[in-house]
Amino acid sequence: MVIEWDAPITMDDGLVLRADIYRPVGGGEHPVLMTHGPYAKGLSFQEGFAFAWMQLAREHPEALEGSSNKYQSWETPDPEIWTRDWGYVCVRVDSRGAGRSPGYLDCFSPRETLDFKNCIEWAGVRPWSNGKVGLTGISYYAMNQWQVAALRPKHLAAICPFEGASDLYRDGVRHGGILTSFWIRWYPAQVSSVQHGLGARGRINHNTGEPIAGPETLSPEEMARNIADLPGQHLGNRFATDAYFAERTPRLEDIEVPVFSRGNWGGIGLHLHGNTEAFLRVGSRQKWLEMHGDTHWTEYYTPGGRALMRRFFDHFLKGEDNGWDREPAVQLSVRLPNEKFLTRKEGEWPLARTQWTRHYLDAASSALVAEPGSDASVEFRGFSQGHTFYTPPMLKASEITGPVAAKVFIASSTRDADIFLSLRAYAPNGRELLFQGASEPNVPLAFGWLRASHRKLDAARSLPYRPWHPHDEEQPLVPGEVHELDIEIWPTSIVLPPGFRLALTVGGEDYDHQLPGPLVPKAPPQYGGIRQTGCSIHVHDVSGDRPPEVFDGTATLYTGGKHASFLLLPVIPAA
């Protein structure tokens, strides 16, 4: 490869961002794959995210073959595969204020998105470019693809967001209006730790010998002035319509380029809903959805996962007639117990043959039943796991694949309540069926959340299986009065064998699977080592957002009669 370190890209306001460019030898014009973000392009995958690298090497050694892995960087393509072997130019840009790029660091801001657009247009007219730029990458490098694609850069030809939220408020920061602490832990661990200006105080790029967050070394006071207060931004902006979130939420309908959206059933706290929702809403006439399992990063690096992306980009960036345009719109790794998957291609999402099936909650029997029962109720404390309802054992194999929703009738002793829904599965021996999640090893089927004061629906955008809350105002509860809540539960997929049961837990705090044994696995150390409970790092424990005097009251769940609470499941009939 020909490697150009710290290539300058001048923005419209005169600030210069820095990019590493990996080009095939021999000159000529080539398609471009670009990433742009705050994780420091010079930080190696192996050093910055050793826990993930070791797991990938241990469980999928084939993902590391065919490369020296010297240029691997977290959540970005390996240039030894994409450039040396497959003929793409890989461009990694440190976003404003991060890594080797100076400036004010403000994640997902309009300024950062405009910078990304400028970088795309710059790459599209380089002598080594064929004029077609594709976007790829995981997580942050997927989320900002939705943002910049909505600006319609002239040279943008295709995007492949891999496990990336498309609505910062709903998918990532405030689930159902409830603030998650993930970003507050993530910010110092992954962003300010590589802020531009650390210089000699930071890490070194082992390929260049240069500081990854330099070259200059700024004082702590200067650096504090150059970075946004993200925890304050998240705590201080409570509604989706607040300017902070509104200007960071793309109009997905404005995206016109081909889209290959790749999501993970196990991304139930951040990276799942964004991929399915964006697939439905983007304006692109050419769009595909792929859903898989395993960890957050695995299928991006495995040979099979890379081959899917290569076919997509070869078709739209190189013009190859490889049959990609004739592929069905949806490819699902349908999940079975014990981390087994059945790959199946479909024509649409949700599946047209879905049998939307109600299971009614019965507080008298703690059951999920086919018809509403008599009036009943059950109380639970606000900060508690709440109450669980079970189906009878399955008489035959049953597939649940698609979006899920619930309607519950709730009263609270206070003016508000946070409702946490957990969709679960149990084996005949009574043991809960747990799965490898995107960011922890034991997750249930799906989660849903709603702050009761955010229960207002947008009737025009709501669907039976996906209620849409505008999150534009607070409507306090009347203590003791019953209120109707429609709650979205993120999509899932499972084929349950005969004898297995489904369950729904309705509670007031994050799910906790309570693994047996004296030791409970910890989250990766950069996220504070919080206990893994099935939610991993996506928990809702910000005290300023959930004052006990409001949210730790007594909640009462009503079922049956005129308060027929129910769970809506996407049942897929056997072929």
Side-chain angles (χ1 to χ4, degrees), residues 288-310:
W288 290 265
L289 173 68
E290 183 266 338
M291 296 296 296
H292 52 263
D294 217 304
T295 66
H296 180 39
W297 52 88
T298 298
E299 288 302 322
Y300 189 82
Y301 294 101
T302 60
R306 279 197 301 249
L308 271 179
M309 288 189 289
R310 183 187 182 185

Side-chain angles (χ1 to χ4, degrees), residues 33-35 45 56 63 72-78 81-82 86 90 92 135-139 141-142 145 160-163 262 290 292-309 313:
L33 290 181
M34 178 177 285
T35 57
F45 190 157
L56 185 66
Q72 291 275 21
S73 182
W74 176 243
E75 301 186 329
T76 66
D78 179 3
I81 301 296
W82 287 91
W86 294 349
C90 286
R92 292 177 180 159
L135 305 182
T136 181
I138 310 173
S139 191
Y141 299 112
Q145 290 182 51
C160 181
F162 190 101
E163 300 190 28
R262 304 190 66 191
E290 183 266 338
H292 52 263
D294 217 304
T295 66
H296 180 39
W297 52 88
T298 298
E299 288 302 322
Y300 189 82
Y301 294 101
T302 60
R306 279 197 301 249
L308 271 179
M309 288 189 289
F313 284 124

